Amino acid sequence: MRLPDFSSAPRADRTPALAVLGAALVLGLAAADAWLARTLETQAEAAVAALNADLATQRARTDRLSAAARRGADAPALGALAVPAARVLEHVASRLPGDVRLTDFHVVYRDAVRVRLTAEARTPEAWDRFLAALAASPHLRELRPDGERRDDGMRVALNLVWQEAER
Amino acid sequence: MIALRRATVLAVDAASVVGGRAARYLWGGLGAADAVHVRCALPASSEPLSAGDQEALAAALREAAAPIVRGGRPVVLLPAHVGASLVLGRERGVDPAEHARFRLAASLDAPPGELASRVAPAPGGRWLAVAMRRDTLASYQAALATAGLAGAPVSFALFAALAALPAPSAPRCVDLLLGDAAGTLLGWSAGALASVRCRLRDGGPEESARWHEEIRRTATLLGGEPGAVRLLGPGAVRLGAALAARGLDLGVGLPRLRADTAGVAGEEMLWPGAVA
């Protein structure tokens, strides 16, 4: 064991050490502040760039919609097309005979409210009754069968157009 | 005898300065030779030495060093009453020297920043810490400089004694390290250094009774009767005989010391451990 030596005991004056520590702390804080400012600036630049890109996208979309609006000036107003799909389905379903069932049903809102459906009928006579019921409806027109398959029963696709005003 | 290490030692105390050569031998044990005893009266205090005391100490140091110091710097040992001591456990993240200054500031009547402290590892995973006032240290160093010993290593006789004493085998043991003006009691429990207490000496017919009480008190703090008592330092032979008459088991496990010091018993010397 080396004998402890008091002759080299340093003075417990920590002022220089504290000053160096304080200066290092200030420098560290300044560096951290600068780094934070640079980070915020980068984030702000990125946000502005994203905003500009979004603005350009929205402007292009506005241009496209304006052009479409100009092209569709002669088309029916959207209000005339705004019939709920549920109402169309309900109307068609109310005309289904007992031995015909719907297997597919689409409502497409374009220049008119167009309906495409697929149905299965147990017999050709049942399908004829369903077509007669649809043809008698005051809201449905332009009935066009689109593909018909007969095996045990009948599977038929049908296109038609909804018409809000009664004929 | 082949010596692993040799050192020249100047042990300062309240009534004397003792110079000598110490050796640690290859096959174990310590050696002490060429002891020079110079009388010098200094205050038994932890206060700084006055200018007159510094002059007196410088003169005694010159006289003690003259026959033994041949170049190089001797190790200067200070007595226990100049500082204050403490046993500390080893704790992670705690600087024991700083901890000692904090704990011993009240004992030395000075703020921790005005204390110098040193620690030495002690058996049982402990630290033996000694602190002293910086102005007191400066006054002793001024005396050393006056004696032509500027820059000499300064330590405490307590550290030298700890280095010389093997850890005791008894479950409870008390060491009494005697100086001219004070005695230090080391308490050992299960081979680990457990406590250190310093008491001023009061020479007289009742001294052995007082030390007997202090030894019993130290052992009580360890949890029972002292299994063994070891005495070292000036007056240890005479005091040991008186304590043995009181029924204490003395001298078990003292350091192996080969003394060639004109009839002075090895037990009377604390300083040979400075070579460790």
Side-chain angles (χ1 to χ4, degrees):
Chain A
M1 180 188 81
R2 183 176 291 278
L3 215 59
D5 179 12
F6 278 71
S7 66
S8 59
R11 188 81 186 159
D13 183 3
R14 298 182 179 171
T15 307
L18 285 176
V20 169
L21 189 65
L25 190 63
V26 168
L27 280 174
L29 285 174
D33 197 35
W35 178 80
L36 187 63
R38 177 66 189 143
T39 305
L40 288 174
E41 185 185 355
T42 306
Q43 287 176 349
E45 286 173 355
V48 168
L51 201 60
N52 282 333
D54 193 37
L55 195 61
T57 305
Q58 293 299 330
R59 191 172 288 137
R61 185 171 175 230
T62 304
D63 292 344
R64 281 199 308 274
L65 289 174
S66 298
R70 283 193 297 274
R71 284 196 306 273
D74 298 334
L78 186 61
L81 302 178
V83 57
R87 186 173 159 221
V88 178
L89 176 60
E90 182 186 5
H91 184 79
V92 171
S94 67
R95 277 150 178 78
L96 280 172
D99 40 8
V100 178
R101 63 178 184 178
L102 286 175
T103 56
D104 201 8
F105 193 87
H106 295 270
V107 178
V108 180
Y109 296 89
R110 198 168 292 166
D111 54 334
V113 180
R114 297 185 178 276
V115 177
R116 177 180 174 80
L117 62 86
T118 306
E120 287 181 0
R122 196 159 60 84
T123 59
E125 292 75 20
W127 176 246
D128 289 342
R129 285 199 301 275
F130 179 44
L131 277 181
L134 292 177
S137 165
H139 293 293
L140 303 174
R141 60 184 173 88
E142 300 179 26
L143 274 65
R144 289 200 307 274
D146 183 15
E148 188 177 295
R149 199 178 69 210
R150 294 171 183 258
D151 33 39
D152 289 345
M154 290 189 66
R155 296 168 64 86
V156 183
L158 184 65
N159 293 307
L160 48 86
V161 173
W162 175 269
Q163 179 176 291
E164 186 61 27
E166 291 191 1
R167 286 181 294 188
Chain B
M1 298 288 282
I2 301 172
L4 281 177
R5 193 179 298 171
R6 295 183 185 277
T8 305
V9 185
L10 291 169
V12 177
D13 211 331
S16 61
V17 174
V18 175
R21 298 178 195 278
R24 178 171 287 277
Y25 296 120
L26 179 60
W27 309 115
L30 298 170
D34 303 332
V36 180
H37 189 277
V38 179
R39 294 194 64 79
C40 172
L42 297 174
S45 160
S46 59
E47 298 283 323
L49 294 175
S50 66
D53 291 333
Q54 290 179 30
E55 284 296 326
L57 176 58
L61 285 167
R62 267 195 298 265
E63 187 178 347
I68 56 171
V69 176
R70 306 264 189 275
R73 292 181 303 187
V75 178
V76 177
L77 299 180
L78 300 182
H81 64 260
V82 171
S85 49
L86 182 69
V87 174
L88 295 171
R90 297 192 186 184
E91 297 177 45
R92 187 184 298 274
V94 175
D95 177 5
E98 191 172 335
H99 189 189
R101 285 195 294 277
F102 172 74
R103 292 275 301 274
L104 295 173
S107 302
L108 294 167
D109 197 22
E114 292 302 315
L115 301 182
S117 61
R118 290 290 185 270
V119 297
R126 311 291 171 84
W127 294 109
L128 175 61
V130 177
M132 68 183 298
R133 287 171 52 163
R134 290 183 186 278
D135 50 1
T136 304
L137 174 61
S139 70
Y140 277 88
Q141 287 180 313
L144 290 174
T146 304
L149 300 168
V154 178
S155 190
F156 270 77
L158 187 54
F159 286 131
L162 180 70
L165 283 166
S169 54
R172 281 183 297 277
C173 175
V174 177
D175 290 335
L176 175 53
L177 311 175
L178 293 166
D180 290 341
T184 303
L185 296 132
L186 297 180
W188 300 81
S189 178
L193 184 62
S195 68
V196 57
R197 308 166 65 221
C198 188
R199 295 288 180 271
L200 288 176
R201 291 185 73 167
D202 182 12
E206 298 302 315
E207 184 180 27
S208 63
R210 281 192 291 274
W211 282 121
H212 189 202
E213 285 304 309
E214 290 293 349
I215 290 168
R216 290 179 67 89
R217 199 167 292 129
T218 303
T220 302
L221 294 174
L222 300 174
E225 291 290 319
V229 178
R230 301 184 293 190
L231 265 67
L232 275 181
V237 173
R238 182 181 56 80
L239 182 61
L243 290 174
R246 293 176 177 272
L248 290 180
D249 181 10
L250 290 169
V252 180
L254 279 171
R256 284 191 292 154
L257 183 66
R258 175 187 167 89
D260 181 14
T261 54
V264 178
E267 295 91 324
E268 300 273 326
M269 293 180 282
L270 288 176
W271 52 270
V275 75

